Amino acid sequence: MDKNIKTYIKPLRLKGLPDGMRQQLKAERLKHDGSQAELGGRSGLPQMHISGIESGKIVPRFDTLLDLVRVRDHDILLIPRALVPAVQSLIRDYRHPDDPRGSDERSLYAAEDEEPGTEEKRRDEI
């Protein structure tokens, strides 16, 4: 086995983070930290690096991206592509009380025609 395995492996490097991910990182920063310098201080990165990541000029290493996400009390999950639509619908249906779209949370297992808050009434009846 004199063949070099590296000749068969093609390195793939992203040219930048997907726009949606960059926008979400920036939105979370603006919602909680405010400035790039504050986020950089919490994550151990200089402000210029945060700016480069948000603008797409810098592609962060995975551990750097993970640090940035975890500082915001989020996480990164690997999801099989076949399950992405189901996970996205769960995330889209979840409403956080601070969400400007509305503070009424709906149970993930609520019936389609059920009004928010009725699952608590039903629980009280049992």
Side-chain angles (χ1 to χ4, degrees), residues 5-15:
I5 191 74
K6 290 184 179 180
T7 60
Y8 296 104
I9 300 174
K10 184 189 273 187
L12 178 65
R13 175 114 173 126
L14 291 176
K15 294 189 183 346

Side-chain angles (χ1 to χ4, degrees), residues 84-104:
V84 168
V87 172
Q88 286 176 332
S89 70
L90 289 172
I91 292 168
R92 194 173 33 249
D93 284 348
Y94 176 77
R95 299 269 196 254
H96 193 273
D98 295 335
D99 192 341
R101 293 177 289 174
S103 61
D104 51 336

Side-chain angles (χ1 to χ4, degrees), residues 49 53 83 108:
H49 200 79
I53 291 170
L83 297 177
L108 293 177

